[in-house]
Amino acid sequence: LDSDLKNDFQKAFERLNNKEKEVVKLLKLEERSTTEVANLLNLSESNVKVIAHRALKNMQLFLMGQE
């Protein structure tokens, strides 16, 4: 990734709340399963999926300049 894209990604990530950051980090960066993340964070699998979906959507909107 070029440095502008890295900076934009970092800005989008920093806008997330702590729970969203943790879920995205575990699922996407550490490539853990939904079940693992749910167990680690004491959440239901459904809740992990919802948090991840909303967080990634918010990051996408930010990166597309719509927020």
Side-chain angles (χ1 to χ4, degrees), residues 9-33:
F9 180 86
Q10 184 67 30
K11 287 177 189 174
F13 185 78
E14 289 300 321
R15 293 171 54 91
L16 302 177
N17 67 42
N18 289 338
K19 189 176 286 188
E20 291 171 332
K21 287 177 187 173
E22 194 66 23
V23 167
V24 170
K25 181 180 77 121
L26 291 169
L27 280 175
K28 301 300 180 184
L29 301 177
E30 294 185 14
E31 298 180 344
R32 293 181 184 254
S33 71

Side-chain angles (χ1 to χ4, degrees), residues 19-66:
K19 189 176 286 188
E20 291 171 332
K21 287 177 187 173
E22 194 66 23
V23 167
V24 170
K25 181 180 77 121
L26 291 169
L27 280 175
K28 301 300 180 184
L29 301 177
E30 294 185 14
E31 298 180 344
R32 293 181 184 254
S33 71
T34 303
T35 303
E36 285 180 294
V37 175
N39 288 336
L40 285 169
L41 300 180
N42 199 30
L43 300 168
S44 69
E45 289 184 43
S46 296
N47 199 256
V48 169
K49 291 176 186 177
V50 168
I51 292 168
H53 175 77
R54 289 180 182 163
L56 294 171
K57 185 68 172 176
N58 286 337
M59 289 180 70
Q60 179 185 27
L61 289 173
F62 177 79
L63 291 169
M64 293 173 60
Q66 295 182 12

